[in-house]
Amino acid sequence: ETGVTQSPTHLIKTRGQQVTLRCSSQSGHNTVSWYQQALGQGPQFIFQYYREEENGRGNFPPRFSGLQFPNYSSELNVNALELDDSALYLCASSLGQGGQYFGPGTRLTVL
Amino acid sequence: QQQVKQSPQSLIVQKGGISIINCAYENTAFDYFPWYQQFPGKGPALLIAIRPDVSEKKEGRFTISFNKSAKQFSLHIMDSQPGDSATYFCAARDSGGGADGLTFGKGTHLIIQP
């Protein structure tokens, strides 16, 4: 059984740029959730995808968007990057309302 | 508004002792309460979870105690080991809200002294 994988591991961008982060869900899982974890804080829910549609969003602006593909993998896109977007971005997969299993994350630094 | 409050912020326990981390929530619609363990540079790992229809759940050295009336739940780590040194997060979810987004506490940095 393959766990949740994320790419890239680290990323450095400058303010105003756009970034795409990728996530492959755990085998058999059909739901993907994205979280932002600032240094020293708990993860904050960005949004969730189920059957290729967004079915819930946390308190994040529209410049945070995503996609889910037929194989349940997912992308997180962030436009017009701001310095405060620097964080660890975590993807979690689940099956229905089961437990959410996290990937290792992508560390994004915005300069 | 912080919906899940976690304490203490940091905790030092001697090897073999019991580590206790507490969380309190406000949203009575929450119906699933997991605990996660996170090591530096890694993603959170699901440790144990409980639903409000039971008051306690035990898995190995980890136990969740749940008090629905007080809207509190806690994690107990028995026979704490140096390898348990990590940051622990409690979380909660409202499964009836459509999306299964977790609301996390701010974390507890646990150090087990040998």
Side-chain angles (χ1 to χ4, degrees):
Chain A
E1 182 178 273
T2 306
V4 178
T5 60
Q6 293 186 242
S7 63
T9 305
H10 297 89
L11 204 52
I12 300 175
K13 292 286 188 178
T14 56
R15 193 170 49 183
Q17 285 189 311
Q18 178 266 343
V19 69
T20 298
L21 311 181
R22 294 176 176 83
C23 169
S24 291
S25 61
Q26 184 169 317
S27 176
H29 286 182
N30 57 11
T31 303
V32 172
S33 304
W34 285 92
Y35 294 81
Q36 180 195 66
Q37 186 176 25
L39 203 60
Q41 300 294 317
Q44 296 229 334
F45 175 63
I46 302 175
F47 46 54
Q48 183 180 82
Y49 276 83
Y50 172 68
R51 291 188 175 180
E52 301 177 52
E53 288 191 2
E54 182 183 303
N55 74 333
R57 170 179 281 263
N59 190 26
F60 281 81
R63 61 189 184 84
F64 287 77
S65 63
L67 286 172
Q68 186 181 32
F69 301 98
N71 66 353
Y72 306 125
S73 66
S74 178
E75 287 182 355
L76 164 66
N77 300 290
V78 187
N79 293 321
L81 283 167
E82 301 176 359
L83 297 179
D84 284 349
D85 295 334
S86 295
L88 180 68
Y89 287 85
L90 296 161
C91 165
S93 74
S94 58
L95 177 62
Q97 293 187 350
Q100 293 191 12
Y101 294 86
F102 285 82
T106 294
R107 173 71 62 187
L108 173 64
T109 301
V110 183
L111 302 176
Chain B
Q1 180 187 17
Q2 184 187 354
Q3 294 196 56
V4 179
K5 293 184 179 179
Q6 183 171 347
S7 63
Q9 190 172 14
S10 60
L11 180 64
I12 299 174
V13 175
Q14 295 297 314
K15 178 182 175 182
I18 302 173
S19 303
I20 302 174
I21 304 170
N22 302 298
C23 282
Y25 62 97
E26 299 163 6
N27 186 350
T28 55
F30 286 150
D31 59 0
Y32 174 74
F33 303 89
W35 284 89
Y36 284 86
Q37 177 191 59
Q38 187 174 30
F39 293 105
K42 305 291 185 182
L46 179 60
L47 270 179
I48 186 172
I50 197 167
R51 296 188 187 275
D53 52 345
V54 297
S55 60
E56 186 175 280
K57 183 175 181 180
K58 183 177 180 180
E59 289 185 2
R61 296 186 294 112
F62 301 94
T63 299
I64 299 179
S65 297
F66 185 82
N67 186 329
K68 188 175 181 178
S69 61
K71 293 186 287 185
Q72 294 176 346
F73 59 110
S74 60
L75 175 70
H76 291 64
I77 305 175
M78 313 300 287
D79 187 26
S80 299
Q81 298 297 313
D84 297 330
S85 297
T87 300
Y88 291 80
F89 293 96
C90 63
R93 182 181 74 194
D94 171 11
S95 301
D100 290 336
L102 293 167
T103 300
F104 282 83
K106 291 191 173 184
T108 295
H109 184 49
L110 174 65
I111 296 173
I112 307 300
Q113 290 188 333

